[in-house]
Amino acid sequence: MLNDVGELDLGALRDDPWTLAFEGFDPANEPRREALLTLANGYMGVRGAASEFPANDVHYPGTYLAGVFNRVQSNINGRDAEHESMVNTPNWLHLDLRFAEGEWWSEGGLHPSKEHVALDLRRGLLTRTLTLSDPEPRPDGSIRSLDVVQRRLVSLRHRHLGAQETTLIPHNYTGRLHVRTGIDPTVTNSGVAEYKELNSHHLMLLESTTLPDEHETLLSLVRTTQSKIEIAMAQRTRVESEVPSSERREVRPGGIEFRRHLIQVSSDQPVIIDSTTAVVTGRDAAISSPREAPWPSWTAPRSACASCWHRTRSSVPACGTATRSRSTPPRTPRNRAAPSWPCAPICSTPLRRWHRTCHCATPAYPPVVCTARATAATSSGTSCSSCPWSICATRM
């Protein structure tokens, strides 16, 4: 819990009121940054975590879905206690890479530098740039490097879709690049240090396989242990390079399936790895089984996302321009966004319960609300039929 907004690490770059940017990597503040860089669309919220790492002492990838809760029992000091949590669902952001004769990025085989991450609140787009290089010079004295630009979004028009695009530009290297992508269902609810003694396992893996279609779609199917909600995620990954790449199935311990992409790269020639993930749960309308559900359109959600965000914020002033007394506490109930908030921004910081360490809302970055519904609620106390979201955050 923060006592003052000055304690928030809001980043040093504040040239644009619609952009939240951070320079460099700060392990002490990384959990808070991941919370502030959350993307959400009313159906799912995705923490702004790095794609190459699983959960550890610094990073905590998290994808949370509206209405997906589960109860588990924990034994604390010899007593059984039951508690309910919003479930951290499978991590669809995973992307790791290495040179052909090197170690994986996540294992220290590549040294990151010049890291910069920015959340564009106008478009709901999270962009991360950095440079990866050899930790030590090669025998000939050269150092191989990769310029990385990674863009991520959750679509507002197609609320079941999320996308991540990674552009790689190699320098001083021509050869094979190994890239691993996939969906990790081994996630747990382990983001809060105070809850370490509680049972954090809420998911049971039902299936991790490849669908028999022309795109070789990767499928991960899980079910919550007590509430019995099935969650299906399907991912398609496309690689754009000068030389056609090859891919193979990589089965990890526990029968978890990933994709290994073998890409022939040339120095200074860009390569694009584009992953689009669709999410369906047993709580969705007109769904008998998420496994057999008709998947939403796979067409690129990027163009639709920008236009939807523009329509959502068209009647709202830029964040920070609305006036509010410093002595007036923000009206943000724990499980819903406040409809009377004067500045309704876009997709960052959707609901406070989706965050690990950031438990407050500031005038610059309050919880996301549906603009149309908020305007109607403050004026007449009724909902708005022109709401651009089929499920408003204020109704969750």
Side-chain angles (χ1 to χ4, degrees):
M1 180 68 71
L2 301 176
N3 298 315
D4 187 85
V5 68
E7 299 178 25
L8 279 174
D9 173 30
L10 295 180
L13 306 178
R14 306 184 187 181
D15 298 333
D16 186 346
W18 285 98
T19 301
L20 175 61
F22 299 100
E23 196 76 46
F25 174 67
D26 183 0
N29 282 311
E30 185 64 15
R32 185 178 300 161
R33 292 182 179 184
E34 290 179 358
L36 292 172
L37 297 174
T38 296
L39 296 171
N41 60 7
Y43 178 80
M44 62 176 163
V46 183
R47 286 172 55 88
S51 61
E52 67 274 16
F53 291 108
N56 54 32
D57 292 338
V58 177
H59 302 279
Y60 182 62
T63 297
Y64 298 90
L65 306 176
V68 178
F69 291 83
N70 189 64
R71 290 185 179 184
V72 293
Q73 283 193 343
S74 302
N75 187 279
I76 303 175
N77 297 325
R79 298 181 60 184
D80 290 334
E82 187 178 63
H83 55 95
E84 185 174 45
S85 301
M86 177 173 270
V87 178
N88 184 13
T89 59
N91 175 29
W92 55 272
L93 303 175
H94 181 79
L95 184 144
D96 203 358
L97 55 88
R98 66 177 177 88
F99 292 117
E101 60 283 351
E103 298 294 326
W104 290 99
W105 176 12
S106 60
E107 298 173 355
L110 294 169
H111 175 70
S113 61
K114 303 177 183 178
E115 186 166 357
H116 176 86
V117 61
L119 176 61
D120 182 351
L121 294 169
R122 291 186 180 90
R123 297 186 295 165
L125 186 66
L126 181 64
T127 302
R128 180 191 183 197
T129 61
L130 72 157
T131 298
L132 299 174
S133 57
D134 287 321
E136 301 291 339
R138 304 178 70 190
D140 60 1
S142 65
I143 295 180
R144 302 168 298 183
S145 65
L146 288 166
D147 289 339
V148 182
V149 179
Q150 191 172 73
R151 303 192 303 162
R152 183 186 306 169
L153 62 83
V154 292
S155 176
L156 184 58
R157 177 173 295 178
H158 307 285
R159 297 180 304 110
H160 294 259
L161 290 183
Q164 181 171 265
E165 177 193 80
T166 305
T167 301
L168 308 173
I169 304 178
H171 301 291
N172 294 327
Y173 180 71
T174 297
R176 179 170 288 183
L177 195 66
H178 291 235
V179 179
R180 180 195 294 145
T181 62
I183 303 170
D184 181 9
T186 63
V187 296
T188 60
N189 279 47
S190 56
V192 181
E194 291 81 358
Y195 300 158
K196 291 295 185 181
E197 296 183 1
L198 299 180
N199 184 356
S200 61
H201 297 275
H202 293 268
L203 296 177
M204 177 188 301
L205 178 63
L206 301 180
E207 190 175 5
S208 181
T209 187
T210 299
L211 296 179
D213 57 15
E214 58 178 330
H215 303 283
E216 295 190 344
T217 303
L218 183 65
L219 173 72
S220 180
L221 180 65
V222 298
R223 183 172 61 209
T224 55
T225 56
Q226 176 269 335
S227 54
K228 307 301 181 183
I229 302 174
E230 290 192 0
I231 304 163
M233 292 188 179
Q235 185 177 88
R236 292 178 182 174
T237 300
R238 178 173 53 90
V239 176
E240 296 182 12
S241 60
E242 284 189 328
V243 179
S245 63
S246 62
E247 70 175 51
R248 64 174 185 241
R249 300 167 65 179
E250 180 178 323
V251 180
R252 308 283 289 174
I256 301 166
E257 189 169 316
F258 282 81
R259 286 286 182 272
R260 176 81 68 89
H261 307 272
L262 308 179
I263 308 171
Q264 188 68 26
V265 299
S266 301
S267 184
D268 303 323
Q269 297 300 315
V271 172
I272 299 175
I273 300 98
D274 191 348
S275 295
T276 303
T277 305
V279 183
V280 178
T281 79
R283 290 182 55 87
D284 296 339
I287 293 294
S288 60
S289 169
R291 174 65 170 80
E292 306 298 332
W295 297 102
S297 171
W298 291 90
T299 55
R302 293 156 185 77
S303 59
C305 192
S307 61
C308 283
W309 286 133
H310 176 75
R311 183 171 72 249
T312 303
R313 73 166 193 275
S314 59
S315 61
V316 181
C319 290
T321 59
T323 59
R324 170 178 280 271
S325 171
R326 294 179 61 89
S327 62
T328 304
R331 297 169 57 187
T332 52
R334 187 169 180 79
N335 290 318
R336 52 179 289 185
S340 60
W341 197 274
C343 175
I346 311 306
C347 63
S348 181
T349 60
L351 294 176
R352 293 191 297 168
R353 288 192 65 179
W354 290 2
H355 294 176
R356 175 161 70 160
T357 60
C358 182
H359 298 289
C360 69
T362 69
Y365 304 101
V368 67
V369 297
C370 169
T371 304
R373 186 176 176 86
T375 303
T378 53
S379 61
S380 62
T382 60
S383 61
C384 177
S385 61
S386 62
C387 173
W389 293 5
S390 57
I391 297 182
C392 296
T394 53
R395 294 170 55 191
M396 294 171 58

